Amino acid sequence: MNFITAFHAEALPLIEKFQLSKRTEASPFPVFSNDRHNVVISGMGRAQASLATQYLFTEVINTPEPIINLGIAGHGELAIGTPFIANRILHLDEKAVYYPPPVLKLNIANSGLQTCDIPETKYSHPIGYDMEAHGFCSAAYRSITREFVQSIKFVSDNPTSPLVSFSPNLASKIIGTHVELIEEIANQLKNTFQELQLDPKIYKMIKELKSTYHFTFTQDYQLEKLLRHAYSLGMHPNDVTHILNQSSTGKIFLSVLSQKLEAFRTLP
Amino acid sequence: MIDTIYFEEQVEEHPRTLRLFQRFPKAIRIPCSHYKEIFNPSGQNFRVQKKKPALILAKNSGKLVHPVPATYGIGGTQNFYFSHMLNCLYDCRYCFLQGMYPSAHYLLFVNYEDFFEEITKAASQKPNEPCWFFSGYDCDSLALESLTGFAKSALSFFEDHPHAFLELRTKSVATQLLEKRLPLANVITAFSFTPQEISDSIENGVPSVSARLSVMKKLAKKGWSLGIRLDPIIDCTDFEKRYESLITEIFQEIPASSIHSVSLGPFRLPEPFFKKMEKLYPSEALFAGNLEKRGRSISYRKAVESQRIETCQNLLLQHVPSNKLFFCQPVED
Ligand code: SF4
């Protein structure tokens, strides 16, 4: 899973839980990773959050994957320590209001979230107040569909206990209490995302074929389509392999596969 | 059933909004300025949203009644459609809504009265010609009736406007509303069918053929006019046998005198919709069928399509006269 946090203190519970190591290559943002998770620490503010999100998609993972913005926030109503999912993210200077689609099955609070340029101390509405989520969404929505972009916040201050100054210890403590919840959210997003992907066997076969034969750009497209169809139409992988073994060129393989698939094209 | 309700601030106090808030007291309520903020943005995944759609309550301030393409219709000279709701309870893999809309949330326009006002205007343009209004274009007309109450309002309206005709199109069995009241001569309820085996594999959530026939039978007994819609026709193994058995079953159950019209339509999708749907469901066998691009649509190859339509036409003509049989063709053909 991929996470964007503003501060190291917010990332710390994840770094410890997932045993992440700091990447050593030069980078505009600190990045902590293992083979399954990445955390990018953006620094404070929506511009930073936006840049860090962009950086993650272009330099760290290079491919669309689910992403979570995690951090502390003020709230006009919820108690200190309460986690909530942002369901409406606005910034008063921005026309775009974001509505992260409700895809998570969790029994936790839902709330609107206003991203502010300076820390909010008035808590005028019963919503959350942070400094990053809007910038995070605007960048993430350019790389992946909105269902897989979620903002999870933990209340650090509210009208009865207003913000005095950022306390790294408190941030780590509050978020650290909920690492299981964070893991659950990450798993739900990952599983939903995986359901949408083609069977990895197809990708494996495409890779194998490409290393065996040369395909033109158009043939590449055909190859992917035909293999996808072979899978959808229930052709046995051994039959595909058999065709492959009988074909002396990529072109012949595509042509024979296409012919053989004709018999499968009627819905059972 | 509904966990999240988005509502436009302008309809927050609308009686239908309040009723729905009451009906789903635990649902999370999220205000918005305009439904388009939620429904329209690109970069949403219809398939993921379809697992648990939210409800969006809004007011449609645009054009509410639209002309139907000339190649559609069931005998009227003036044909219009309107959509009080976008998206559907069911999940048919061939449904064009998946290709047309960025979001799978149920979008309900609560200003029903404005729809009826525009229907009145459209119907009064040529008061001496029958004017048809089709309601099941962007949703199933009855499947979410318990939530919307739209059909109930529409029936009262059409009762007072006998020169206007309404088609409710459905795959649901939520027909209690019709069963409870006296039939209206200007309202037909049209049920869509594919053979049960096809329905099982690509019409998720749709009641069985026999359940639909059983409610149709009740409605026929009550005196309601019924429509049969074999649209889209889906090519499949044992095509003739399956469609023959479906058509026989329908006409065994439903008296011919209750049938207002039967329509047939080939499977067709505008190419951009098809591409989007194929991307959403890359492993779907339906999209790997005997298809080709014709005009701006993706359809079955011409020979397959013509043969399948002809088969159904011949089967249907054994039960209904040709003046009750209609064909829905893509505009390009
Ligand atoms: S019942 Fe009709 S509107 Fe609903 S999903 Fe199926 S085809 Fe689409």
Side-chain angles (χ1 to χ4, degrees):
Chain A
M1 181 52 57
N2 302 290
F3 299 93
I4 301 288
T5 67
F7 299 109
H8 184 268
E10 294 169 321
L12 198 58
L14 303 177
I15 295 169
E16 285 172 357
K17 168 80 186 172
F18 301 131
Q19 298 179 343
L20 308 179
S21 323
K22 188 165 186 208
R23 291 214 189 184
T24 49
E25 66 264 28
S27 149
F29 303 97
V31 181
F32 292 82
S33 298
N34 65 11
D35 55 349
R36 292 190 300 130
H37 304 285
N38 299 293
V39 180
V40 178
I41 300 171
S42 66
M44 191 170 77
R46 62 185 170 123
Q48 287 296 107
S50 169
L51 288 170
T53 307
Q54 232 170 297
Y55 178 78
L56 182 127
F57 278 115
T58 52
E59 304 296 330
V60 181
I61 53 175
N62 269 315
T63 162
E65 279 180 18
I67 183 167
I68 298 170
N69 167 224
L70 205 82
I72 53 163
H75 202 282
E77 196 174 63
L78 296 175
I80 306 288
T82 309
F84 69 90
I85 305 174
N87 57 27
R88 178 174 191 253
I89 298 172
L90 69 149
H91 184 286
L92 293 183
D93 295 343
E94 298 287 345
K95 203 172 155 225
V97 179
Y98 302 126
Y99 298 85
V103 294
L104 296 166
K105 287 181 212 108
L106 297 167
N107 203 8
I108 65 167
N110 263 256
S111 171
L113 177 65
Q114 183 180 325
T115 298
C116 308
D117 290 337
I118 51 166
E120 170 69 27
T121 49
K122 289 200 188 95
Y123 312 96
S124 329
H125 301 284
I127 58 171
Y129 296 92
D130 87 331
M131 297 180 71
E132 287 83 27
H134 197 277
F136 159 75
C137 285
S138 67
Y141 288 173
R142 281 188 288 232
S143 296
I144 185 158
T145 55
R146 295 175 181 227
E147 292 69 25
F148 300 108
V149 178
Q150 299 287 339
S151 198
I152 313 294
K153 299 283 163 171
F154 301 83
V155 179
S156 61
D157 49 282
N158 62 16
T160 46
S161 183
L163 180 75
V164 183
S165 62
F166 173 71
S167 156
N169 281 347
L170 179 70
S172 297
K173 196 176 150 211
I174 291 176
I175 296 176
T177 317
H178 296 289
V179 276
E180 262 81 44
L181 170 74
I182 297 167
E183 206 175 9
E184 167 65 20
I185 292 169
N187 284 337
Q188 284 192 20
L189 285 180
K190 193 188 82 191
N191 293 342
T192 308
F193 186 71
Q194 272 172 358
E195 280 171 27
L196 304 177
Q197 310 308 309
L198 264 182
D199 191 317
K201 276 182 251 151
I202 299 181
Y203 291 118
K204 202 175 149 220
M205 195 167 255
I206 292 174
K207 216 170 144 193
E208 272 171 27
L209 278 158
K210 280 187 183 171
S211 64
T212 316
Y213 298 122
H214 168 73
F215 291 100
T216 64
F217 185 73
T218 320
Q219 287 172 338
D220 239 24
Y221 170 79
Q222 264 182 310
L223 172 70
E224 200 246 273
K225 186 172 167 180
L226 287 173
L227 286 179
R228 191 159 40 79
H229 283 186
Y231 178 81
S232 322
L233 297 167
M235 186 185 235
H236 198 281
N238 289 349
D239 294 341
V240 180
T241 314
H242 180 72
I243 298 168
L244 179 64
N245 294 337
Q246 306 279 304
S247 308
S248 53
T249 65
K251 197 173 167 193
I252 293 173
F253 169 74
L254 292 175
S255 151
V256 177
L257 178 60
S258 172
Q259 271 171 33
K260 296 267 184 214
L261 275 175
E262 284 306 295
F264 291 80
R265 289 200 187 273
T266 307
L267 210 61
Chain B
M1 177 194 181
I2 299 287
D3 291 344
T4 305
I5 303 178
Y6 297 100
F7 60 95
E8 283 184 352
E9 277 148 353
Q10 62 170 332
V11 303
E12 185 172 7
E13 299 297 326
H14 192 287
R16 290 192 182 100
T17 305
L18 297 176
R19 215 170 303 139
L20 285 161
F21 283 167
Q22 241 174 30
R23 165 92 192 270
F24 301 106
K26 288 194 183 139
I28 293 155
R29 296 177 202 167
I30 306 170
C32 63
S33 307
H34 198 281
Y35 73 85
K36 289 182 180 172
E37 292 176 338
I38 297 145
F39 197 77
N40 283 20
S42 56
Q44 303 191 67
N45 190 297
F46 195 99
R47 178 173 171 182
V48 176
Q49 290 188 9
K50 191 74 195 167
K51 287 178 169 201
K52 191 81 193 153
L55 175 64
I56 305 174
L57 302 174
K59 177 181 174 183
N60 191 342
S61 318
K63 199 169 181 304
L64 302 177
V65 172
H66 309 268
V68 167
T71 47
Y72 289 77
I74 42 173
T77 48
Q78 296 193 84
N79 299 301
F80 298 92
Y81 75 90
F82 61 90
S83 300
H84 68 287
M85 185 161 188
L86 311 187
N87 283 327
C88 179
L89 177 68
Y90 306 130
D91 187 14
C92 305
R93 198 50 60 243
Y94 52 75
C95 181
F96 76 105
L97 298 175
Q98 309 162 95
M100 185 154 78
Y101 294 128
S103 167
H105 296 326
Y106 306 128
L107 170 55
L108 176 67
F109 297 116
V110 294
N111 53 322
Y112 300 169
E113 291 70 21
D114 294 337
F115 283 87
F116 300 142
E117 206 173 292
E118 269 201 38
I119 290 172
T120 311
K121 273 189 212 153
S124 61
Q125 279 167 12
K126 289 186 184 167
N128 299 321
E129 289 180 24
C131 189
W132 277 90
F133 295 90
F134 296 87
S135 91
Y137 190 76
D138 289 309
C139 66
D140 183 290
S141 301
L142 293 175
L144 285 170
E145 176 61 14
S146 69
L147 191 149
T148 69
F150 180 81
K152 190 173 181 209
S153 305
L155 291 183
S156 304
F157 170 83
F158 279 89
E159 187 170 21
D160 296 337
H161 295 78
H163 57 294
F165 291 79
L166 171 69
E167 181 196 273
L168 298 167
R169 187 177 291 202
T170 191
K171 287 196 185 93
S172 94
V173 291
T175 53
Q176 299 82 346
L177 165 77
L178 298 161
E179 287 164 36
K180 274 193 234 145
R181 58 175 297 163
L182 289 173
L184 297 175
N186 58 336
V187 174
I188 75 151
T189 311
F191 289 80
S192 308
F193 290 98
T194 59
Q196 187 61 56
E197 300 86 340
I198 296 300
S199 185
D200 287 341
S201 69
I202 56 172
E203 293 177 343
N204 299 311
V206 169
S208 67
V209 168
S210 59
R212 277 174 275 165
L213 286 175
S214 139
V215 296
M216 286 178 81
K217 217 167 150 181
K218 283 190 202 161
L219 294 179
K221 247 192 203 148
K222 279 268 178 182
W224 286 96
S225 288
L226 301 172
I228 313 281
R229 306 287 172 253
L230 302 184
D231 182 3
I233 300 277
I234 301 291
D235 185 29
C236 56
T237 5
D238 291 334
F239 179 90
E240 185 159 355
K241 208 170 118 203
R242 287 179 182 175
Y243 271 87
E244 182 175 15
S245 121
L246 171 69
I247 290 166
T248 309
E249 199 183 345
I250 292 173
F251 288 96
Q252 257 167 13
E253 297 293 323
I254 315 300
S257 56
S258 299
I259 307 271
H260 168 275
S261 54
V262 178
S263 64
L264 271 178
F267 170 78
R268 72 280 181 195
L269 283 164
E271 192 190 19
F273 292 9
F274 179 84
K275 281 189 167 163
K276 189 181 154 203
M277 289 158 68
E278 202 185 18
K279 229 171 154 187
L280 282 173
Y281 295 93
S283 312
E284 173 55 56
L286 177 72
F287 303 143
N290 290 304
L291 303 169
E292 67 179 9
K293 186 176 172 215
R294 230 176 316 130
R296 278 177 287 157
S297 297
I298 303 289
S299 332
Y300 287 121
R301 290 173 200 153
K302 189 72 192 164
V304 176
E305 182 183 294
S306 306
Q307 203 258 320
R308 298 316 193 204
I309 293 278
E310 196 188 323
T311 303
C312 289
Q313 182 184 357
N314 292 337
L315 291 167
L316 286 165
L317 285 172
Q318 294 171 22
H319 304 276
V320 281
S322 58
N323 64 345
K324 285 194 177 184
L325 186 56
F326 298 90
F327 297 92
C328 296
Q329 289 297 331
V331 184
E332 286 89 2
D333 277 16

